[in-house]
Amino acid sequence: MMKEELFNLIKKHQYNISIYTEDIFERRCQEEIIRSDEDKSSFVYIEFDFESINATLGNESNSQQFWNIFMETLSQNKRGSDILGFLEHESGIGLLLLDSKLNGWNRLVGRFIRTASKHDFEIMKLVLDKIVKPIVYPACIQDIQAQEVAKQAQ
């Protein structure tokens, strides 16, 4: 259902946005991990889970407004290298910010909030702060390794 709504938004506003299918998006994530390891670069992975976001927003009207602002912001600020795709079982949207770190995500959050402010939709910040958690690769792997070393030292 959300898939059709998002495609309708893209078509209605003629946004230049492509959303990969879940299997192609998963493959692109795997390729990016390999590329990042080889190039010693980093990227940010973000999930926008439909159910969690809709539950926080509380109603259909807020949900439509959220996704309108989401698509409007991405269409105006998306870099050519950023990748958008459906998560497993089309449960949400994933976003890869290539060659980026947390500051890249923070800039995008600022743009989401500015666009939301123009539409008097202040709840956008709550959703982005409460529901959406960016993961920076390879820092997330290094954090896990550091935790494992700390456990072994105890």
Side-chain angles (χ1 to χ4, degrees):
M1 183 173 121
M2 279 301 301
K3 182 178 184 178
E4 289 79 27
E5 287 182 38
L6 293 176
F7 284 134
N8 287 337
L9 267 176
I10 292 168
K11 192 170 17 176
K12 176 181 175 185
H13 296 284
Q14 298 181 331
Y15 293 141
N16 186 21
I17 296 176
S18 299
I19 306 175
Y20 285 121
T21 61
E22 60 184 89
D23 45 327
I24 293 174
F25 182 66
E26 184 178 329
R27 201 166 331 130
R28 285 293 289 124
C29 289
Q30 292 167 353
E31 290 168 356
E32 197 51 39
I33 288 171
I34 293 166
R35 189 189 73 82
S36 181
D37 288 344
E38 289 173 352
D39 296 351
K40 305 286 186 249
S41 62
S42 63
F43 64 91
V44 182
Y45 172 83
I46 309 112
E47 287 186 356
F48 298 86
D49 178 73
F50 295 144
E51 193 174 306
S52 300
I53 290 171
N54 291 341
T56 301
L57 292 169
N59 63 52
E60 185 69 25
S61 175
N62 281 348
S63 180
Q64 288 175 337
Q65 183 76 330
F66 177 90
W67 293 108
N68 274 322
I69 291 166
F70 180 88
M71 288 298 178
E72 179 182 333
T73 303
L74 282 185
S75 74
Q76 294 170 350
N77 298 285
K78 188 173 175 290
R79 302 173 307 157
S81 60
D82 296 340
I83 298 169
L84 197 60
F86 286 102
L87 302 175
E88 193 173 17
H89 308 298
E90 296 176 357
S91 62
I93 291 275
L95 176 62
L96 290 178
L97 304 177
L98 304 186
D99 298 316
S100 192
K101 292 195 167 120
L102 203 52
N103 59 352
W105 166 243
N106 291 335
R107 270 194 306 276
L108 186 56
V109 166
R111 292 172 182 149
F112 280 130
I113 291 169
R114 274 194 300 282
T115 304
S117 187
K118 285 192 294 187
H119 295 281
D120 292 322
F121 192 71
E122 305 309 319
I123 196 172
M124 187 85 174
K125 181 173 177 18
L126 171 74
V127 172
L128 294 173
D129 289 347
K130 181 180 171 188
I131 305 296
V132 182
K133 301 290 180 235
I135 298 169
V136 179
Y137 185 90
C140 61
I141 301 299
Q142 293 159 355
D143 290 346
I144 291 168
Q145 290 169 341
Q147 290 169 0
E148 288 174 2
V149 168
K151 282 182 189 173
Q152 291 170 355
Q154 291 176 349

